Amino acid sequence: MEKKKVVVGMSGGVDSSVAAWLLKEQGYDVIGVTMQIWQDEDAQTQEENGGCCGLTAVDDARAVAQTIGIPYYVMNFKKEFKDFVIEDFVREYSLGRTPNPCIRCNRYVKWEALLQRCLALGADYIATGHYAQVVCLDNGRYALKAAPSSKDQTYALYNLTQEQLSHTLMPVGQYTKDEIRAIAEKIGLKVAAKPDSQDICFVPDGDYTRFLEDYTGKKAPQGNFVDIHGNVLGRHQGITHYTVGQRKGLGLAMGHPVFVTQIRPDTNEVVIGENEDVFSRELIAQNLNFMAIEPPKQPLRVFAKVRYAHGGAWCTVEMTDKDTARCTFDQPVRAITPGQAVVFYDNDVVLGGGIIKQAVKN
């Protein structure tokens, strides 16, 4: 019987490295691939960063492939990354939203572009080192199940399609991070103790505003800080400097802590309020993707996360049209941020999710 062929996206980190080894141990015909998406041979900061997309990723991944005995290639996806991730990132910030570029990269680059290219080359699956588990449910649909690890990454993968999931393997999803590092050390991988990548790959220093200014060649114009009644409180440095819930770096002497409650790109205003003003019970989500279920025809009770680090909260989801939903939480939720994702869960299974269009102020 011919072995199933799987292409593993290797970032040079410990998770994808062990994923490749596990799949080889399971009897797959494994090929390692590193995706060039942002690397620039002249970008010294990328070399020094050495994160999931830094230049050192190629060297580390190639060494791992040699150690475990699999073929290894580098594929160029810079155009796809620019078109689907960078351009969206810049556009969203200009509209006063706070995007999550990893979500778009997962859907449109790491899956859509890589999967189609690999299928065309005769592969049966692609695989990654994400902490999530692909499951086929009793209703015949594919879904993601949360990993037992505290590193669970299902939030950033909610918008994968049924076609993509049916050709995806995630072998590290049943392990904890400590277990993966132990496996890497046991089989002699030099990346066993390599630190996790924390920052967005194309903004290694975390300075989003400077990146946006360098990329577009222009600074966001200054405008007014206003309170919820429209009274001017001071001047802000440009809406790209701020996000909902932010307290630090405002430069306002109010005598007590105040927070960004809303960003208004149409009037170039940043709205400032008290802590209680940052909470909302409702949000509107769009660009929905349902994974474990078809789009619900009736109100649906779910456990929802409004950002990666959110612990989650119970809410009721009601479709308002085919691609928009209203989510009403049982209790007010802090800092619901336009541009971030809201992801729906049934226990540890991802039902689906969408992009937050707005928080509804009651």
Side-chain angles (χ1 to χ4, degrees), residues 182-202:
I183 292 172
E185 187 171 354
K186 180 180 177 181
I187 62 178
L189 300 185
K190 292 181 180 180
V191 297
K194 185 175 179 178
D196 292 342
S197 176
Q198 300 293 334
D199 296 312
I200 293 173
C201 63
F202 57 91

Side-chain angles (χ1 to χ4, degrees), residues 33-251:
V33 165
T34 295
M35 304 175 69
Q36 281 192 315
I37 54 178
W38 183 249
Q39 301 95 321
D40 185 338
E41 288 75 7
D42 298 322
Q44 193 66 29
T45 55
Q46 297 294 330
E47 176 76 38
E48 292 167 353
N49 177 249
C52 71
C53 306
L55 291 174
T56 55
V58 173
D59 294 334
D60 288 343
R62 183 179 286 116
V64 167
Q66 187 172 9
T67 298
I68 64 179
I70 61 171
Y72 173 78
Y73 304 95
V74 177
M75 290 186 177
N76 189 323
F77 290 91
K78 291 181 181 179
K79 182 181 187 304
E80 291 89 342
F81 189 76
K82 180 178 183 294
D83 291 349
F84 288 105
V85 181
I86 301 293
E87 294 292 335
D88 176 81
F89 183 83
V90 173
R91 182 172 56 253
E92 287 289 283
Y93 263 106
S94 73
L95 295 173
R97 297 194 281 258
T98 305
N100 186 323
C102 294
I103 289 176
R104 284 186 65 86
C105 183
N106 286 335
R107 167 69 182 268
Y108 296 106
V109 184
K110 290 182 179 177
W111 265 266
E112 189 66 30
L114 177 63
L115 176 60
Q116 294 308 316
R117 196 178 297 187
C118 291
L119 291 178
L121 294 174
D124 298 289
Y125 300 101
I126 61 170
T128 70
H130 283 94
Y131 284 90
Q133 301 175 72
V134 180
V135 294
C136 186
L137 303 174
D138 291 341
N139 61 7
R141 293 179 68 91
Y142 288 89
L144 291 174
K145 183 179 178 182
S149 169
S150 60
K151 297 281 186 180
D152 175 63
Q153 293 172 300
T154 52
Y155 173 84
L157 299 166
Y158 79 89
N159 61 350
L160 299 185
T161 67
Q162 292 295 294
E163 170 71 8
Q164 291 167 348
L165 288 170
S166 70
H167 291 283
T168 296
L169 302 175
M170 294 182 179
V172 308
Q174 59 186 303
Y175 296 91
T176 66
K177 185 75 178 193
D178 288 344
E179 289 171 334
I180 291 298
R181 289 199 183 279
I183 292 172
E185 187 171 354
K186 180 180 177 181
I187 62 178
L189 300 185
K190 292 181 180 180
V191 297
K194 185 175 179 178
D196 292 342
S197 176
Q198 300 293 334
D199 296 312
I200 293 173
C201 63
F202 57 91
V203 193
D205 62 358
D207 191 343
Y208 305 139
T209 302
R210 187 174 69 180
F211 169 82
L212 293 167
E213 291 176 355
D214 290 345
Y215 188 84
T216 62
K218 56 186 179 182
K219 289 189 174 184
Q222 295 185 358
N224 288 329
F225 283 120
V226 299
D227 63 19
I228 58 176
H229 304 294
N231 299 310
V232 177
L233 304 175
R235 296 286 287 174
H236 68 68
Q237 299 303 306
I239 62 173
T240 56
H241 287 74
Y242 309 98
T243 189
V244 172
Q246 181 176 333
R247 176 175 68 86
K248 297 181 178 179
L250 302 180

